[in-house]
Amino acid sequence: QALIGEEIELGPFKYKVDEGLALRNSAFSFIDTALQHLLEKSGIQYIMNQVLMESVTLIFRKYIYSLIADPADDIQILSFQILNKLTQLAPLRLVSSVEEIVKSFEEILVKYEKSLGSKQEGERVNDCIRAFLRAVQSLSKIEHIESSPRFKDFLQERILKNEKLKEIYQQIVTL
């Protein structure tokens, strides 16, 4: 997705203003809230729920990389929350997309690994890392996910062999 924004110059400094952030944040917050209500309700709205689930799953599968790789931390966290809910609502649909999800996870993990050692990044990046690891843990609970060697390798080699990530992951698992 292209960022809606402009580059602003303040003397020798340039920075980008993302004018589409509020719109993306609202859209993903709506999806997150709708999925939360799907988890809480059943019965009369079954058909509507199924249509919404199918739509959200297709959108998520099609745009998985751009959602997770969004430069805005808020959007990344919302994307991980949506993924967590989809693991409960449509686990088998996600199993068929696990290769694309892991590919996105591998790319975003590079950014997080660089930030782990930095004190400057602060609590915001730690929140993103925790949301990311919650999504990994939610995926690991899906039945038949172990049939994906790429996911197993990702979990074993990238998460559990990194001491800092392993510590945070273990905290999430014990909750």
Side-chain angles (χ1 to χ4, degrees):
Q1 112 267 331
L3 294 178
I4 302 169
E6 59 183 296
E7 188 170 274
I8 297 181
E9 293 184 33
L10 290 174
F13 303 104
K14 293 181 183 180
Y15 69 96
K16 293 181 182 177
V17 175
D18 184 359
E19 295 171 353
L21 178 60
L23 180 62
R24 289 194 318 276
N25 197 0
S26 297
F28 294 123
S29 293
F30 169 77
I31 291 171
D32 186 45
T33 302
L35 289 174
Q36 182 61 40
H37 288 294
L38 286 179
L39 285 171
E40 295 170 355
K41 299 188 188 285
S42 62
I44 299 172
Q45 300 175 345
Y46 178 76
I47 293 174
M48 192 172 96
N49 291 349
Q50 292 303 313
V51 170
L52 180 61
M53 264 317 305
E54 188 66 32
S55 300
V56 169
T57 305
L58 287 172
I59 290 168
F60 199 80
R61 285 178 62 186
K62 185 172 182 178
Y63 298 106
I64 182 73
Y65 176 73
S66 60
L67 292 174
I68 293 175
D70 195 289
D73 294 341
D74 292 339
I75 303 302
Q76 285 181 5
I77 290 172
L78 280 170
S79 297
F80 294 136
Q81 289 173 350
I82 291 169
L83 181 59
N84 286 339
K85 289 179 176 104
L86 286 175
T87 61
Q88 296 172 31
L89 291 166
L92 294 178
R93 292 178 184 154
L94 289 176
V95 169
S96 64
S97 305
V98 74
E99 298 296 320
E100 294 92 6
I101 293 171
V102 171
K103 181 181 178 204
S104 299
F105 279 3
E106 287 171 341
E107 293 176 14
I108 201 69
L109 186 59
V110 171
K111 172 186 168 186
Y112 292 154
E113 285 176 330
K114 290 178 186 175
S115 301
L116 271 175
S118 172
K119 296 277 185 195
Q120 295 175 340
E121 295 293 335
E123 200 57 34
R124 192 69 184 151
V125 169
N126 289 336
D127 290 343
C128 287
I129 291 170
R130 282 191 290 275
F132 167 72
L133 291 174
R134 273 189 219 102
V136 171
Q137 196 258 344
S138 292
L139 278 173
S140 72
K141 289 181 177 179
I142 296 176
E143 189 175 344
H144 305 298
I145 199 77
E146 66 276 356
S147 65
S148 169
R150 189 167 185 180
F151 181 79
K152 282 175 43 178
D153 289 345
F154 173 76
L155 183 61
Q156 294 299 320
E157 300 296 322
R158 299 292 306 274
I159 304 294
L160 298 177
K161 285 198 175 176
N162 181 316
E163 289 302 318
K164 290 182 181 180
L165 290 175
K166 181 180 178 180
E167 179 183 336
I168 298 168
Y169 185 78
Q170 294 298 336
Q171 290 171 353
I172 290 169
V173 169
T174 58
L175 290 178

